[in-house]
Amino acid sequence: MNITRTNIDNLNAVVKVDIAKEDYSDKVEKILTDYRKSANIPGFRKGHVPMTLVKKQYGKAVLVDEVNKLLQDALNKYLVEEKLDVLGNPLPKPQDDLDWNSDQFSFEFELGLSPEFDIDLKIKKAITHYQIYADDKMIDDQVKHIQKQYGKLVSTDVVEANSEITGTFVNEDNNINNTATFSLEKIKGKSNIKNLTGAKVGDVITLNTKELFNDSHDLMTYLKVSHDAAHDLKVDVKLTIAEINSRVLADLDQDLFDKLFAKGEVNTVTELKEKIKTDSEKQFQQQSDQKLMNDVTDYLIENIKFDLPASFLQKWLQNAGEKPMNEEEAKDEYEKSEKSIRYQLIEGKLMEKYNVKVEFEDLKTHAKELIKSQMAQFGQLNPSEQELDDIAARILSNRDEVKRLSEQLVSKKLLDLYKAEANLKVKKITYDDFVKEFYS
């Protein structure tokens, strides 16, 4: 057997595999001999079928099968030995004139080669790393929310500033008929608030949906209209008031603190606010990290320049999935997935350059941390190491779970790498400003 490679350019090559008779003949002969021993052909005793008949009936199928096995093994071994970093899979070149009656065979495969490039995280333009903090307003709002949540409702006669109103919104022309409960604080505009203030149970108030609520998306909740309709809805609705309640805030005392946290963990309002601040900023850290991960990823994709064997990859995509594609479909699919392909190559280069690895012990530790966190949510605060080991072992026996956890761990290790090596500038920002800047 002889394998040769012709480089078309830096990203494309053709590998030719020449297979001679001596490469496959012994194997084919042995298989046919075994067939002869077990062949059951009318007119011949088992094990006494003439070899010429066995070869006539099975010879070509066995030959094709063995040559293909030999071809795939040889090609895979060659790619490993030559340390060729290929994209997709080798594509066999069509051979309409292949003669299986010949003793010698030649096969050619197209290869798409990974591009050569380098990465330096010490980029000139610093990427912003947001540190989200809980300001006094947010903490005070959270305290008030807790007081409302653990407070009690008292029925009242008329709508006042702190009232919660239950009523039915109706507009027959727009198929609106929904009963909902909302606080007066949700209402927008002085005229709307004035119309509702002082209203009693049984009163019917006409309101216009345009800028009725501080957040237009509340129309989806209280009137049950679609997202698209909520943004442009400008109709009159009649609100029939069925119930009016005033919420009495819970006292900020030890009884409330012990309902919120472990007994004795929080003893004063100052400690409550500090606990809210700490817990909130721990949650904000996840959003900050995800934002940093997205920003660094986008920067690398846009600024690490290299070419891809686009024509090869489009051709490969035509038959890579369950359903074959035509050329146009494959081109569209390539354009959709090009950024993903680039990032996979960049990620691989980063892991190689900075020695980022995921070992089995890393996976086990990561799995146990997740298990411990989930158990804590159900009040199991001190599971034994044996219990954690047993659950982790069951999880890591599932291939899909191993893949999912590995991807999580790679992202975590890369995030740590970016924080340590990338050129970052820290910007402190309140949660409200963070949301306005990136999600409004």
Side-chain angles (χ1 to χ4, degrees):
M1 183 183 301
N2 185 43
I3 302 180
T4 56
R5 182 175 82 247
T6 302
N7 291 328
I8 308 301
D9 53 38
N10 291 336
L11 298 173
N12 296 274
V14 174
V15 169
K16 184 180 181 183
V17 182
D18 295 317
I19 298 178
K21 185 175 183 179
E22 56 266 24
D23 296 321
Y24 61 82
S25 58
D26 289 347
K27 184 68 174 176
V28 169
E29 196 68 27
K30 182 179 184 306
I31 292 173
L32 291 175
T33 300
D34 291 340
Y35 273 23
R36 181 172 183 248
K37 293 176 183 178
S38 58
N40 189 8
I41 297 178
F44 299 94
R45 284 186 299 151
K46 190 174 181 179
H48 290 77
V49 179
M51 181 57 84
T52 53
L53 189 57
V54 172
K55 287 184 177 180
K56 182 178 180 180
Q57 188 161 346
Y58 302 108
K60 185 174 181 180
V62 171
L63 171 65
V64 171
D65 189 45
E66 288 307 310
V67 167
N68 280 325
K69 287 180 183 177
L70 185 65
L71 180 62
Q72 290 302 320
D73 289 344
L75 186 59
N76 292 336
K77 184 179 178 182
Y78 175 80
L79 296 178
V80 171
E81 289 178 347
E82 293 294 311
K83 298 180 180 179
L84 290 178
D85 193 2
V86 299
L87 300 178
N89 294 315
L91 292 177
K93 298 187 77 171
Q95 287 182 280
D96 297 331
D97 59 347
L98 182 62
D99 183 8
W100 286 104
N101 293 317
S102 174
D103 291 336
Q104 310 287 329
F105 304 102
S106 292
F107 302 91
E108 290 185 335
F109 294 85
E110 296 179 60
L111 302 182
L113 306 178
S114 291
E116 292 291 333
F117 62 94
D118 192 24
I119 294 178
D120 185 0
L121 290 174
K122 300 296 184 183
I123 52 183
K124 292 182 180 180
K125 184 179 179 181
I127 294 174
T128 302
H129 182 198
Y130 293 92
Q131 289 189 358
I132 309 170
Y133 66 92
D135 61 354
D136 291 341
K137 179 183 180 300
M138 179 183 180
I139 295 171
D140 290 341
D141 287 346
Q142 185 63 26
V143 170
K144 187 176 180 181
H145 175 75
I146 291 171
Q147 287 183 278
K148 283 185 176 181
Q149 183 180 1
Y150 286 87
K152 59 182 179 181
L153 287 175
V154 177
S155 179
T156 59
D157 295 327
V158 297
V159 175
E160 298 174 341
N162 62 343
S163 291
E164 292 187 10
I165 305 163
T166 299
T168 303
F169 292 96
V170 175
N171 179 298
E172 294 182 357
D173 293 339
N174 289 271
N175 296 317
I176 296 172
N177 190 325
N178 188 61
T179 301
T181 299
F182 60 94
S183 66
L184 195 62
E185 294 175 346
K186 292 278 187 180
I187 298 299
K188 183 177 182 179
K190 292 181 180 179
S191 61
N192 288 327
I193 294 173
K194 183 179 179 181
N195 286 339
L196 287 166
T197 301
K200 300 177 182 179
V201 171
D203 285 354
V204 179
I205 313 285
T206 299
L207 301 166
N208 192 280
T209 57
K210 182 175 175 59
E211 297 186 340
L212 175 58
F213 295 101
N214 290 313
D215 185 347
S216 62
H217 291 95
D218 282 343
L219 291 171
M220 298 167 59
T221 302
Y222 300 125
L223 273 66
K224 292 299 183 217
V225 298
S226 69
H227 180 273
D228 291 339
H231 283 282
D232 300 315
L233 194 64
K234 187 180 179 180
V235 298
D236 287 336
V237 291
K238 291 186 181 299
L239 171 65
T240 302
I241 298 177
E243 187 177 341
I244 304 169
N245 291 295
S246 177
R247 187 171 290 275
V248 178
L249 300 181
D251 292 331
L252 295 172
D253 55 16
Q254 194 62 50
D255 182 54
L256 176 61
F257 302 153
D258 290 345
K259 287 178 182 177
L260 294 170
F261 309 103
K263 191 172 183 178
E265 184 178 349
V266 171
N267 301 291
T268 66
V269 174
T270 300
E271 290 179 2
L272 171 65
K273 290 184 176 182
E274 189 59 39
K275 179 68 173 172
I276 291 172
K277 179 179 176 65
T278 301
D279 290 349
S280 297
E281 290 179 353
K282 190 180 294 183
Q283 294 179 9
F284 299 160
Q285 182 66 45
Q286 297 176 1
Q287 291 175 274
S288 173
D289 286 347
Q290 188 58 59
K291 174 64 177 166
L292 177 62
M293 192 74 178
N294 292 344
D295 287 348
V296 175
T297 298
D298 290 343
Y299 178 88
L300 294 174
I301 291 174
E302 294 299 324
N303 291 276
I304 304 298
K305 303 297 184 182
F306 54 81
D307 293 326
L308 291 170
S311 296
F312 170 85
L313 289 172
Q314 290 173 35
K315 192 184 298 184
W316 172 69
L317 282 170
Q318 284 188 253
N319 294 291
E322 293 182 5
K323 182 181 177 182
M325 303 180 189
N326 59 38
E327 288 186 19
E328 192 61 34
E329 290 172 334
K331 183 179 179 181
D332 289 343
E333 183 63 26
Y334 172 75
E335 290 174 353
K336 292 176 186 176
S337 58
E338 183 181 358
K339 282 190 175 181
S340 175
I341 295 170
R342 288 183 177 279
Y343 181 68
Q344 288 176 15
L345 292 171
I346 290 169
E347 183 182 273
K349 181 69 72 173
L350 280 169
M351 294 179 71
E352 178 186 2
K353 180 173 182 176
Y354 292 95
N355 197 30
V356 177
K357 297 179 180 178
V358 174
E359 308 286 358
F360 179 77
E361 283 304 315
D362 296 330
L363 278 176
K364 185 177 178 182
T365 300
H366 182 58
K368 288 169 67 174
E369 288 173 353
L370 293 176
I371 295 164
K372 196 171 182 178
S373 175
Q374 290 175 352
M375 293 177 76
Q377 295 177 15
F378 295 95
Q380 295 177 266
L381 302 178
N382 294 300
S384 67
E385 280 299 310
Q386 185 61 51
E387 190 174 8
L388 292 172
D389 285 337
D390 290 345
I391 298 174
R394 289 199 296 272
I395 291 174
L396 295 176
S397 66
N398 184 306
R399 183 178 298 177
D400 291 337
E401 283 297 305
V402 169
K403 182 176 182 294
R404 183 179 66 85
L405 292 174
S406 296
E407 290 172 350
Q408 286 182 2
L409 205 47
V410 166
S411 293
K412 182 177 182 297
K413 285 176 175 279
L414 287 176
L415 180 64
D416 291 341
L417 173 66
Y418 298 155
K419 290 180 179 180
E421 298 291 338
N423 182 13
L424 305 178
K425 62 178 179 182
V426 174
K427 179 179 179 180
K428 292 189 175 183
I429 189 171
T430 67
Y431 181 72
D432 285 344
D433 288 342
F434 180 80
V435 171
K436 288 176 185 176
E437 190 166 343
F438 300 110
Y439 299 108
S440 296

